[in-house]
Amino acid sequence: MKPYKIALLGLMLTMLAACDLEREDFTEIYEDNFFQTETDLKLAVDGLYYDFNTGDWYGTDVLGGVFCADYNGYQVMSDLTTDVMWCNWGWESDEMYFHQWTATTGTIQKQFWNMFAHYNYMSKARNTIRRIEASPVEQSVKDKYLGEAHALRGWMGLFLYDMFGPVPIAPDNVLDNPETFVYLPRLTDEEYDEMMEEDLLAAISLLPDMPEERGRMAKGPARMILLKYYMIRGQFEKAEKIARDLYAMQGQYDLFAGEYADIFSVANAGNNEVILCRPINIDVSNAVNYFTAECMPEDMPGAPNGEGWGGYVMAWDFYDTFEAGDKRLANVYASYTNNTGETVSRQDMTYGAVALKYGIDPQMQGGMSHNDIVVYRYSDVLLSLAELIVRNGGPVSGEATDLVNRVRTRAGLGNLDATATASPEAFLDAILLERGHEFWFEGLRRQDLIRYGKYVEYANDRIDKINASEGRGYFNVDDSHNRMPIPADFINESKSAIKQNPLY
Amino acid sequence: MATMAAVALTALYALAQITVSGVVTDEQGEPLIGASVAEVGTQHANATDLDGKFTLKNVAEGATIRVSYVGYTAQEQTAATQMTFVLKASAAVMDEVVVVGYGSMKKSNLSGAVSSVKADELPTAGSASVGEMLRGRAAGMNITSSSATPGGALNIAIRGGLSGQKPLVVIDGVPQAPASNMSSGTIYGGAAKDNSGLINLNPNDIESIDVLKDASAAAIYGSDASGGVILITTKRGKEGKPEVTYSGSVAFSRIKDAPEFMNARDFMITQNQVFDELGRSSEKRWTQAQIDNFVGEGTDWMDEVTRTGVVNEHNLSVTAGGKHTRSLFSVSYYNHEGLVKNNSMNRLTGRLNVDHEFSKKVKAGVNSSFTQLKYNDVPMGDARQQNSAVIYSAMTFIPTVPVYDENGDYSTNPFRNLYPNPVSLLEITDQTTSRSLYVSGYLEYKPWDFLSIRATGGVDINWTQADQYSPRTTLHGATLNGEASKQNANAQMNLVNIIANFNKTFADIHDLSVMAGWEYKKSSWNGMGIVANDFPFDNALMNNMGASQQEKPNISSYRGTNEMASWIGRVNYVLMDKYILTANVRVDGSSNFSPEHQWGVFPGVSAAWKINEEEWLRDKQWLSTLKLRAGWGQTGNAGNLTGINTYYSVMSSPAWAPGGHATNGVSMAKLGNPNLKWETLTDINIGIDAGFFQNRLQFNIDAYQRTRSDVILSKELMSYQEITSIDYNSQEKYRSRGIDIGIHSVNISNRDFEWSTDLNVSFYKNETITRDPDFIPAPYQPMQQDWGAVYGWKTDGLVQQGQSYAHLPSSGAGAIKYLDVNGYVLDANGERMRDSDGRYMLSGEPDGLLDEADMVELFNSTPIPFSINNTFRWKNWDANIYIYGSLRGRKINDVKLQSVYGVQDITYGINVLTDVANRWRPGNPYGDMPGVAEASSGFNPSQSDFFYENAWYLRLDNVSIGYTFPSKLFKDKIKNLRLYAAARNIAVFTPYKGMDPETGNGIGAYPNNFSVAVGLDLKF
């Protein structure tokens, strides 16, 4: 080889080798290119809504969405562990209905894990808030998205507190050093209160009265979340104040003028009784209503392309507490005619009545219905305010009773009878039952019963009853069950800085 | 004139020709068949026949006749009418040439751990992939099929697979780009496919396969070599007359390991019983009369979805060569109709290898191959409920209904119309076509005998198209009004390298070779996909997706590239043909790391001593080879994790529709770690090669240790962080230690009969030897952990009537009796105490609770790969018996676990294994399978030893017999004709009671098959 050729070759090699090697991936969006425009902020905040999704049936997602329709869902967990909801599938659902779990046993551990694992959302939302604050976008634009982000953080904070009590929350300096292992304990209740108020009061002040699109955060939903939190915390005076703010939004929100059952129909999506919902679009894989399919019997006609999985039912004992003529039973069936024309009667339905919160969507495709999942409604504002007035020492008669009667009237019932208004205790008990009838399968029952101190009591009643009738040998449970146990994985990870809920 | 006459006479005299004939034998007097006999200086040549005899006509008197034969020293004699040649076995009899990466070496001069396999030693009948054929052929390379589907995935683990990387496949010096399986993006997909790169090869094109096992050998491939290297050399053209080779075979296969599920009547009886056992007698669906009057066995769904499999293959290759140009051209066709209906795999390959000598100094060549793979898939996998795939459905679909109902529609499950009819799933169209073009060219310049410079450029391009359609006749398709998916993926790897080789012997005893080079590689990939549903009609399948009425079909696309550059060097020094020293180094740069960490240096050094060449052993007749080898080396691993950048991405699984409008969100997807650097594997290898009695008995034994450090892992951060993992170099260290043993024995060798045996066995142990400082071991977990250890609860049969245990609060009679053997040490506050490793301390006493404290090491399931191969030749007959397997294994019988533990599912009309009849129930207290009570025990039986079974196995993989017709029969018009018959996978010896212990993984595994093949090899 001639020398000049060798030299040329050498030069070529050196040139090639001297360059830094480069990797490209066009699906990655880098930091210096994001949080720069309003669109970026919107995309980031829209990302925060994902976790509250209605999930895919049986959780093909990594974590079931907060509102998924299987056992991992907040609403299912909140009703299936109470007197309202039972399930035809036995096994795990009986574990839930009869509270057969401890801190370590029960297949339900998987659900606890999935629910608790959402707690890093608090860090994600906090980081998003900080990134928005640091972004070069104009302040008025930032405020709009900050309001949503704060409200969403509060929403997740509520869900976690409701299930587990206070969870660990990473302070900013810990978030800034993600590779450092800090073994955080749970917040105290007071610290948690402070965080919740900080987020939700900021949200209430920044957000518009009404959302741009249904499902988005606005003043109403943010107040509703704070109201729920105060009620769970037993801070009834603060709660009453917020409830009154909500009540004052009458006009923007109101009781739906039509039939109770139609509040939940596809046609009435976005009606003004619904304060917060999860909007459904069955083309979006995790924004699908599978809840109806979970409840609808397989042989029930009404949706030519739909399918029912025949799971959740309204337990008979609860069904029997409804007064005659209660319109809220419109979509609850103690018997029905199936698709071969046979009558399926109460005797054939072992566990409970067919209860279709959302009715049957005739356009249902397979297990997918088009009805929005309802989260909070204005009737809850009325019943909560009535309860709070009395809890705060106010009179039963007058405003409080009127509020309850408004809800009863819409249900086609007469006013509360005299025994129900005879004493504050009787009145509060009447409200609890009224709430059960009004909000069945909306995932509020668990927190209501706990607030009344009846969650565990009712569970033991069910256990005693089934043990007596079927000899199932279930164990009784204690007040530990007012909170779900914190999964052992998280306690271990924290080197026991996280303490298990008491009594477990 | 006289002078002229004299000249003419002389010429005439010189041209006087004789006919030479004779015989060629070895030193024992055995004839040597096919030895080449040639008149020196002419093209005039012939070969010996079956008796070792030859005839050469028209040989000039006084000419020299040269006889040569592989493995023997060539001999020359002056031509005579009757000649006898007695050839001596050459000392270099086993001195094959072994490819070692960027060059080749004499096998006797190797100092690293290299296994070589000659392609013609492998039985080919019915095997799709070279990978399948290589199972058990090289000690230390463990190949298992994870699925029995046509073209199904293989796991290739060289030396225990500690690195977690697939082996690098290098074909004729150019590494293959890694391929990946494609996902349809729907609920259905076929089984994982063989993407080792080996499936693209026509096995008949392969000349030899060399496996570089240790880093002293593999380090030359640097960071790509951490999973070991498989070097494949394809056949090339030879000088001489064109040679045409045809081979073809056909094989028929039948299902072999289908688990036994209940027939209709047993199903009805069992379902009624289970309702009773659950205390739900009122829900019983069958009257005694219905059970008694049921006609027949019901539908055997497995039978309905399976068939006789057929494999057809045809290969044709032509080699030709003149003085300057040599070429090989081959085409092949392989078609496998699988056991499951509509499931098939089809491969076409074409290859052209050309070498051309421009001059004594300049040579060039091209290797090119084209492969097309077509798969027709059926839904596979372990999904249950409405996502059930074909096999799981066929096992469990209700046996009381016929395939079609009275309207001719697919029958549904009358208890719960949720499960797809297994036969309906065959209506799903699922086609994947993958085409790859693989071209490399080289130019070699050899200015002097001792120096050559070779430049190679190569390109490997893959185009894959996957199409799927689920019509309305399936439950899933009906739900969505038809669902279609079209996905394509393209990948390309470009490679260029320049390698210089220097080779010279100094003063007769110093044999020095030096190699140096540079290499650059760029890979790129891109693709796109659409999944859409809601079609007005089914008949266009996925071929008219514009017809979809879906508001937001799922669309995606991507593109990425990466780069790698390397400097390579090797020195090989042999002193007196006795002492061998090899040192190599590779400097690799990878774009997986940030600029300051891109480069890594990976050296290797090894030495060997040919002891038998020493004076004091030289005359020992019984000893033919004795070589001691030792090596040390490092390879790098750039990892599969590329997390140097923090980035956001569009969230993958859509979930948000404000106002009902589909809306995308963006979130942080990855936390970057710019400090990420190369992970390193360090190998130590000591080996011994010994051969006795003219190498009729050979041992190759290698002992090794491999340590993996700076392991690139995804570190779990605290679970409260926004991003809960980061790619990092862990302080964990892994270690593998093992021994590979290969024995080759020619048991009998004489003129008529030859029998040889090869035995390979490997022992290894993979361990984690050092942990990260943040690691908290589980209570049962040692800091140094054997990867093969299985931990779980011990069990002791079932809970019987009247028994109750505090630690099993929800276990009724018939539930599994897990054992409470241990508990935690509690402090004064009742909290669990931890030891210095952070692990919970154990009291050693049962504590009335069943939890992690009670888990113990149950088994070790590290395989012991084993194979034994016997080949026989008797006159023109040949035969082969091949057995491979693993001498150790533990495995959960998944199908049984699902069926027994999930027995309550029978109330929804899901069929169960016949084993379920043997469950505990009030009428059968001696049943050894758990009853319905287990499901509500709150414990998961897969965390115990209950469903584990011993799963060592030996597979009688091949028994074949062939006959080679003497070429005389065809008047030499046909050089070679061999007919053969083979039976594959004849028996599996194993205590395992589930499906196939190798391929029967999960609850919906593709059944394995037994097959019979006939074929022929023809050469003319």
Side-chain angles (χ1 to χ4, degrees):
Chain A
M1 195 181 273
K2 303 256 163 53
Y4 77 87
K5 282 188 189 160
I6 295 172
L8 197 68
L9 190 70
L11 188 70
M12 206 172 78
L13 295 187
T14 324
M15 275 166 60
L16 283 165
C19 306
D20 283 335
L21 300 164
E22 205 189 339
R23 182 182 148 271
E24 300 168 296
D25 189 327
F26 292 84
T27 61
E28 298 174 356
I29 303 165
Y30 298 113
E31 276 176 307
D32 52 3
N33 212 0
F34 199 56
F35 283 101
Q36 302 296 318
T37 66
E38 178 174 0
T39 309
D40 294 347
L41 304 194
K42 180 173 180 299
L43 283 167
V45 170
D46 279 328
L48 290 179
Y49 280 94
Y50 273 51
D51 299 62
F52 299 92
N53 69 65
T54 53
D56 207 345
W57 183 73
Y58 231 88
T60 53
D61 223 348
V62 185
L63 282 183
V66 172
F67 289 95
C68 71
D70 67 16
Y71 300 145
N72 294 294
Y74 173 58
Q75 293 183 326
V76 175
M77 181 69 86
S78 290
D79 274 5
L80 189 48
T81 57
T82 70
D83 51 346
V84 172
M85 184 192 275
W86 200 358
C87 179
N88 287 324
W89 295 330
W91 202 348
E92 291 135 307
S93 60
D94 280 357
E95 222 173 67
M96 294 166 83
Y97 187 64
F98 295 108
H99 284 225
Q100 296 301 293
W101 69 79
T102 68
T104 51
T105 63
T107 46
I108 193 177
Q109 295 298 332
K110 190 172 64 192
Q111 275 71 49
F112 296 152
W113 196 98
N114 283 340
M115 290 183 156
F116 194 88
H118 281 291
Y119 84 130
N120 76 327
Y121 181 93
M122 303 303 284
S123 302
K124 176 166 138 184
R126 177 68 199 150
N127 282 341
T128 305
I129 289 167
R130 294 195 297 156
R131 289 177 196 131
I132 295 173
E133 282 169 350
S135 110
V137 177
E138 196 183 325
Q139 189 60 43
S140 62
V141 175
K142 287 201 294 201
D143 282 349
K144 179 175 155 194
Y145 296 102
L146 282 171
E148 277 186 87
H150 279 296
L152 288 163
R153 188 165 188 256
W155 194 11
M156 187 61 82
L158 170 69
F159 157 73
L160 291 166
Y161 191 93
D162 189 11
M163 283 293 149
F164 300 100
V167 299
I169 300 291
D172 291 354
N173 63 327
V174 171
L175 295 178
D176 290 336
N177 299 291
E179 288 179 71
T180 309
F181 282 56
V182 180
Y183 303 104
L184 295 174
R186 303 167 66 175
L187 295 192
T188 62
D189 280 337
E190 292 68 32
E191 288 166 340
Y192 209 88
D193 290 349
E194 201 182 313
M195 172 191 80
M196 291 293 283
E197 285 182 340
E198 201 180 296
D199 274 318
L200 289 164
L201 293 176
I204 293 166
S205 76
L206 293 169
L207 284 166
D209 274 10
M210 297 300 277
E212 283 177 6
E213 296 162 297
R214 66 182 206 274
R216 282 197 184 278
M217 284 296 166
K219 274 196 168 59
R223 284 180 173 141
M224 202 68 207
I225 292 162
L226 188 56
L227 168 64
K228 288 286 163 195
Y229 181 73
Y230 284 146
M231 290 181 76
I232 289 171
R233 292 283 294 120
Q235 297 176 359
F236 297 126
E237 280 168 16
K238 285 180 172 175
E240 186 179 342
K241 193 180 157 293
I242 290 284
R244 288 204 179 278
D245 289 346
L246 276 160
Y247 187 51
M249 295 179 86
Q250 170 107 18
Q252 288 169 312
Y253 299 112
D254 206 341
L255 286 188
F256 180 64
E259 292 296 320
Y260 173 87
D262 293 336
I263 301 169
F264 307 96
S265 70
V266 178
N268 294 315
N271 71 71
N272 68 347
E273 174 159 347
V274 178
I275 297 175
L276 183 59
C277 70
R278 238 356 240 193
I280 293 303
N281 179 335
I282 66 162
D283 283 336
V284 177
S285 56
N286 288 302
V288 173
N289 180 335
Y290 289 106
F291 190 74
T292 300
E294 298 268 7
C295 304
M296 189 171 89
E298 290 143 48
D299 59 354
M300 197 161 195
N305 288 321
E307 65 186 32
W309 303 332
Y312 312 140
V313 292
M314 183 182 286
W316 288 121
D317 284 345
F318 185 78
Y319 176 84
D320 292 337
T321 63
F322 279 84
E323 293 164 57
D326 195 325
K327 288 182 178 176
R328 293 171 295 200
L329 287 178
N331 281 327
V332 181
Y333 305 92
S335 75
Y336 64 97
T337 306
N338 72 9
N339 48 20
T340 52
E342 294 162 29
T343 301
V344 180
S345 63
R346 183 163 175 165
Q347 284 70 41
D348 306 316
M349 297 146 78
T350 317
Y351 300 97
V354 173
L356 304 176
K357 182 92 234 177
Y358 298 96
I360 295 176
D361 166 19
Q363 304 299 318
M364 190 180 186
Q365 280 186 29
M368 304 187 288
S369 299
H370 297 74
N371 314 65
D372 288 354
I373 296 292
V374 170
V375 179
Y376 296 126
R377 292 192 284 124
Y378 192 65
S379 63
D380 195 356
V381 175
L382 304 187
L383 291 177
S384 297
L385 182 57
E387 180 185 333
L388 290 163
I389 291 170
V390 174
R391 281 191 188 273
N392 288 329
V396 169
S397 57
E399 188 184 19
T401 304
D402 291 347
L403 286 166
V404 178
N405 285 337
R406 266 183 76 186
V407 175
R408 287 178 60 85
T409 307
R410 201 259 307 269
L413 300 174
N415 289 346
L416 283 175
D417 62 21
T419 52
T421 54
S423 68
E425 290 71 33
F427 181 71
L428 289 176
D429 285 347
I431 288 182
L432 179 63
L433 188 60
E434 203 60 54
R435 291 185 64 86
H437 293 163
E438 176 71 18
F439 303 117
W440 58 271
F441 286 23
E442 289 177 57
L444 299 177
R445 188 65 174 168
R446 178 175 166 275
Q447 52 177 259
D448 288 348
L449 289 179
I450 293 171
R451 186 169 71 251
Y452 275 81
K454 298 200 162 165
Y455 181 61
V456 172
E457 179 191 322
Y458 283 14
N460 281 324
D461 291 348
R462 296 195 293 279
I463 293 165
D464 295 341
K465 190 177 169 195
I466 196 99
N467 281 348
S469 66
E470 291 188 22
R472 291 212 191 174
Y474 286 146
F475 53 82
N476 283 110
V477 297
D478 59 23
D479 282 344
S480 63
H481 278 227
N482 284 329
R483 282 178 178 174
M484 299 306 183
I486 293 180
D489 283 357
F490 297 96
I491 298 177
N492 287 342
E493 185 202 15
S494 77
K495 297 202 167 168
S496 299
I498 297 178
K499 301 294 178 205
Q500 183 54 278
N501 279 321
L503 299 175
Y504 271 111
Chain B
M1 187 69 201
T3 338
M4 278 188 67
V7 170
L9 264 177
T10 314
L12 207 64
Y13 176 76
L15 289 170
Q17 288 176 329
I18 56 171
T19 295
V20 175
S21 56
V23 64
V24 181
T25 67
D26 64 9
E27 286 166 293
Q28 282 78 38
E30 294 291 338
L32 293 173
I33 306 159
S36 100
V37 180
E39 184 183 349
V40 173
T42 68
Q43 298 272 347
H44 198 184
N46 203 346
T48 55
D49 65 11
L50 282 171
D51 302 319
K53 291 185 175 143
F54 67 90
T55 309
L56 269 183
K57 286 179 182 154
N58 305 329
V59 175
E61 216 168 319
T64 304
I65 304 295
R66 179 190 167 88
V67 174
S68 59
Y69 193 68
V70 177
Y72 291 82
T73 312
Q75 221 176 76
E76 291 183 0
Q77 295 179 20
T78 309
T81 48
Q82 271 302 322
M83 304 184 73
T84 305
F85 289 84
V86 178
L87 298 192
K88 288 201 174 105
S90 102
V93 61
M94 293 315 292
D95 232 5
E96 303 157 32
V97 166
V98 174
V99 180
V100 290
Y102 306 102
S104 55
M105 268 187 202
K106 279 193 272 179
K107 192 173 184 182
S108 65
N109 280 354
L110 274 182
S111 49
V114 180
S115 286
S116 299
V117 181
K118 290 275 169 273
D120 51 14
E121 291 166 7
L122 303 173
T124 59
S127 297
S129 155
V130 187
E132 242 172 84
M133 290 158 55
L134 280 174
R135 272 189 299 218
R137 301 293 170 171
M141 178 165 70
N142 188 23
I143 301 181
T144 50
S145 302
S146 50
S147 160
T149 40
L154 296 172
N155 299 318
I156 306 181
I158 292 178
R159 293 197 156 167
L162 186 85
S163 70
Q165 297 288 323
K166 286 196 263 182
L168 176 71
V169 176
V170 179
I171 300 172
D172 293 327
V174 180
Q176 279 224 311
S180 55
N181 271 304
M182 276 183 84
S183 158
S184 62
T186 70
I187 64 165
Y188 292 125
K193 299 176 175 58
D194 181 357
N195 55 11
S196 62
L198 297 172
I199 190 89
N200 287 335
L201 280 165
N202 172 4
N204 293 278
D205 283 349
I206 296 173
E207 178 78 36
S208 66
I209 297 162
D210 299 282
V211 183
L212 310 184
K213 295 187 290 192
D214 75 331
S216 71
I220 202 67
Y221 281 104
S223 58
D224 286 335
S226 54
V229 183
I230 299 174
L231 298 172
I232 292 178
T233 309
T234 60
K235 290 177 181 159
R236 315 200 70 81
K238 286 178 229 149
E239 193 175 333
K241 277 200 287 185
E243 199 168 77
V244 179
T245 310
Y246 166 82
S247 66
S249 71
V250 57
F252 299 93
S253 54
R254 291 194 52 184
I255 191 163
K256 190 151 183 289
D257 61 343
E260 220 174 299
F261 276 73
M262 288 191 175
N263 64 21
R265 189 171 292 107
D266 289 342
F267 166 82
M268 294 156 96
I269 295 168
T270 308
Q271 194 193 44
N272 274 356
Q273 288 172 344
V274 169
F275 273 119
D276 282 338
E277 290 153 32
L278 288 168
R280 291 159 56 187
S281 302
S282 61
E283 299 175 46
K284 278 197 271 193
R285 301 292 183 99
W286 309 105
T287 63
Q288 196 54 45
Q290 279 176 304
I291 295 172
D292 292 341
N293 298 332
F294 193 89
V295 181
E297 295 275 292
T299 306
D300 181 344
W301 292 100
M302 193 60 103
D303 209 44
E304 296 294 335
V305 300
T306 56
R307 62 180 172 189
T308 300
V310 184
V311 181
N312 265 299
E313 50 178 335
H314 303 280
N315 309 283
L316 184 70
S317 78
V318 181
T319 60
K323 265 216 147 19
H324 299 297
T325 307
R326 290 178 286 280
S327 61
L328 171 136
F329 170 72
S330 81
V331 286
S332 76
Y333 168 88
Y334 175 95
N335 190 57
H336 185 165
E337 302 285 326
L339 279 183
V340 175
K341 289 176 182 169
N342 293 359
N343 178 215
S344 67
M345 174 222 157
N346 174 299
R347 178 180 62 207
L348 294 174
T349 70
R351 169 174 294 276
L352 180 64
N353 289 352
V354 180
D355 298 290
H356 181 79
E357 277 174 27
F358 290 100
S359 71
K360 279 232 147 67
K361 290 184 176 177
V362 181
K363 195 162 100 170
V366 173
N367 303 319
S368 57
S369 68
F370 173 79
T371 305
Q372 173 180 286
L373 290 165
K374 270 192 177 175
Y375 300 88
N376 282 308
D377 281 309
V378 290
M380 285 296 299
D382 287 351
R384 300 189 294 125
Q385 318 280 14
Q386 73 266 57
N387 292 1
S388 302
V390 169
I391 300 295
Y392 179 73
S393 292
M395 288 182 194
T396 58
F397 201 73
I398 188 164
T400 57
V401 300
V403 178
Y404 302 99
D405 64 16
E406 58 274 16
N407 303 325
D409 297 328
Y410 287 110
S411 296
T412 55
N413 178 332
F415 296 94
R416 207 178 182 199
N417 182 17
L418 177 64
Y419 313 110
N421 179 309
V423 180
S424 75
L425 293 174
L426 300 177
E427 302 261 346
I428 293 166
T429 305
D430 191 348
Q431 299 164 336
T432 302
T433 305
S434 167
R435 298 187 176 94
S436 61
L437 179 66
Y438 187 78
V439 182
S440 69
Y442 70 88
L443 178 68
E444 188 175 294
Y445 176 57
K446 207 167 177 178
W448 301 283
D449 265 357
F450 53 83
L451 179 70
S452 69
I453 298 166
R454 182 190 264 239
T456 306
V459 58
D460 182 1
I461 311 176
N462 281 288
W463 301 270
T464 305
Q465 175 73 47
D467 293 346
Q468 193 185 76
Y469 189 77
S470 301
R472 285 171 177 77
T473 39
T474 64
L475 272 182
H476 181 66
T479 300
L480 297 172
N481 287 328
E483 183 186 40
S485 161
K486 257 181 128 58
Q487 310 280 331
N488 75 55
N490 309 310
Q492 177 162 354
M493 189 212 60
N494 298 341
L495 174 135
V496 55
N497 68 37
I498 296 176
I499 307 289
N501 262 300
F502 170 89
N503 210 323
K504 198 160 174 133
T505 305
F506 299 96
D508 272 354
I509 54 166
H510 306 285
D511 197 346
L512 180 70
S513 54
V514 180
M515 182 272 286
W518 170 86
E519 185 169 276
Y520 169 81
K521 208 163 80 175
K522 176 161 184 161
S523 302
S524 57
W525 56 91
N526 67 70
M528 63 167 293
I530 315 178
V531 181
N533 59 48
D534 202 357
F535 291 92
F537 37 73
D538 278 339
N539 44 1
L541 304 180
M542 60 273 150
N543 300 310
N544 184 11
M545 288 179 77
S548 164
Q549 298 164 89
Q550 189 184 0
E551 182 189 326
K552 188 179 190 289
N554 189 342
I555 53 174
S556 61
S557 69
Y558 56 90
R559 184 177 122 76
T561 63
N562 67 30
E563 290 182 302
M564 202 163 147
S566 315
W567 298 94
I568 313 156
R570 176 172 55 216
V571 177
N572 183 257
Y573 172 66
V574 182
L575 176 64
M576 297 189 293
D577 207 24
K578 259 191 270 188
Y579 311 105
I580 303 155
L581 184 71
T582 305
N584 50 39
V585 64
R586 178 156 176 147
V587 180
D588 268 335
S590 162
S591 62
N592 278 7
F593 305 113
S594 53
E596 53 272 33
H597 297 289
Q598 276 185 345
W599 296 90
V601 180
F602 306 105
V605 62
S606 59
W609 175 25
K610 290 202 234 170
I611 307 173
N612 62 308
E613 295 290 328
E614 296 291 349
E615 294 297 326
W616 39 278
L617 274 176
R618 229 181 204 163
D619 46 5
K620 298 279 186 291
Q621 282 299 319
W622 51 271
L623 182 72
S624 344
T625 313
L626 184 62
K627 184 165 70 164
L628 195 61
R629 293 178 279 109
W632 173 92
Q634 289 190 322
T635 51
N637 185 354
N640 302 321
L641 305 173
T642 53
I644 52 172
N645 297 317
T646 297
Y647 63 85
Y648 297 84
S649 65
V650 177
M651 293 168 79
S652 56
S653 152
W656 172 226
H661 310 299
T663 301
N664 281 331
V666 167
S667 69
M668 186 176 273
K670 187 118 195 171
L671 207 53
N673 179 0
N675 297 320
L676 210 59
K677 62 175 193 211
W678 290 91
E679 111 177 24
T680 309
L681 293 161
T682 307
D683 283 14
I684 299 171
N685 189 84
I686 295 171
I688 192 162
D689 301 328
F692 306 96
F693 318 114
Q694 275 81 45
N695 280 329
R696 276 183 59 170
L697 182 61
Q698 293 179 58
F699 293 91
N700 303 92
I701 300 170
D702 277 281
Y704 61 89
Q705 169 178 299
R706 162 169 290 189
T707 318
R708 184 172 164 200
S709 51
D710 292 329
V711 184
I712 300 177
L713 290 178
S714 179
K715 178 190 203 166
E716 294 291 312
L717 300 175
M718 290 303 288
S719 60
Y720 53 71
Q721 292 287 359
E722 176 179 20
I723 299 293
T724 53
S725 67
I726 188 168
D727 300 345
Y728 79 130
N729 294 95
S730 163
Q731 291 180 45
E732 283 194 10
K733 277 198 173 117
Y734 307 146
R735 186 180 70 197
S736 184
R737 282 178 170 169
I739 298 178
D740 298 333
I741 300 169
I743 300 172
H744 173 74
S745 162
V746 180
N747 306 321
I748 297 174
S749 174
N750 61 40
R751 187 185 154 155
D752 286 338
F753 187 60
E754 198 168 296
W755 170 30
S756 63
T757 303
D758 290 278
L759 189 148
N760 288 320
V761 61
S762 298
F763 302 90
Y764 69 88
K765 181 178 185 177
N766 289 344
E767 286 177 295
T768 300
I769 51 171
T770 310
R771 304 276 189 179
D772 244 7
D774 303 314
F775 176 75
I776 304 174
Y780 54 81
Q781 204 173 17
M783 288 304 267
Q784 178 168 342
Q785 187 179 348
D786 188 332
W787 290 12
V790 176
Y791 299 92
W793 293 309
K794 288 210 168 276
T795 59
D796 177 27
L798 305 174
V799 175
Q800 295 297 327
Q801 205 84 52
Q803 296 176 336
S804 75
Y805 300 92
H807 66 285
L808 305 172
S810 307
S811 296
I816 296 171
K817 193 164 126 195
Y818 304 99
L819 298 183
D820 174 22
V821 296
N822 219 325
Y824 296 105
V825 179
L826 303 180
D827 66 11
N829 301 325
E831 288 191 17
R832 296 171 187 177
M833 292 172 69
R834 294 172 184 275
D835 64 16
S836 54
D837 292 329
R839 180 198 286 119
Y840 285 129
M841 290 161 71
L842 297 177
S843 63
E845 299 289 324
D847 61 349
L849 290 170
L850 186 73
D851 44 32
E852 279 197 327
D854 300 302
M855 292 189 171
V856 294
E857 181 176 342
L858 298 172
F859 318 107
N860 193 311
S861 67
T862 306
I864 301 174
F866 173 87
S867 74
I868 183 162
N869 187 36
N870 281 289
T871 49
F872 304 90
R873 186 185 58 76
W874 180 70
K875 294 193 167 157
N876 286 356
W877 293 90
D878 61 79
N880 175 275
I881 299 173
Y882 181 59
I883 295 171
Y884 77 86
S886 171
L887 302 182
R888 182 163 62 188
R890 289 279 173 169
K891 199 170 162 159
I892 287 186
N893 187 337
D894 298 303
V895 176
K896 195 172 184 177
L897 167 65
Q898 177 59 40
S899 208
V900 172
Y901 181 61
V903 64
Q904 286 200 24
D905 284 353
I906 199 173
T907 61
Y908 311 138
I910 288 186
N911 202 3
V912 293
L913 277 177
T914 50
D915 301 71
V916 167
N918 193 24
R919 75 194 176 285
W920 190 99
R921 59 199 167 88
N924 185 24
Y926 300 109
D928 53 13
M929 286 293 108
V932 297
E934 177 53 27
S936 47
S937 72
F939 300 108
N940 186 344
S942 65
Q943 292 183 312
S944 78
D945 60 11
F946 197 89
F947 286 98
Y948 269 97
E949 293 180 15
N950 204 339
W952 63 262
Y953 70 98
L954 288 176
R955 186 189 306 282
L956 179 52
D957 183 54
N958 184 70
V959 172
S960 62
I961 185 161
Y963 182 79
T964 306
F965 293 88
S967 53
K968 265 197 289 196
L969 273 180
F970 312 106
K971 305 217 162 68
D972 291 335
K973 291 232 164 64
I974 291 174
K975 283 190 189 142
N976 188 3
L977 172 64
R978 177 172 173 264
L979 293 180
Y980 64 90
R984 307 293 308 267
N985 191 16
I986 300 144
V988 181
F989 308 100
T990 179
Y992 185 68
K993 300 273 194 305
M995 293 179 75
D996 191 285
E998 180 185 355
T999 62
N1001 301 309
I1003 57 172
Y1006 202 92
N1008 212 326
N1009 62 70
F1010 158 76
S1011 70
V1012 177
V1014 290
L1016 71 91
D1017 298 331
L1018 184 63
K1019 191 187 272 190
F1020 47 89

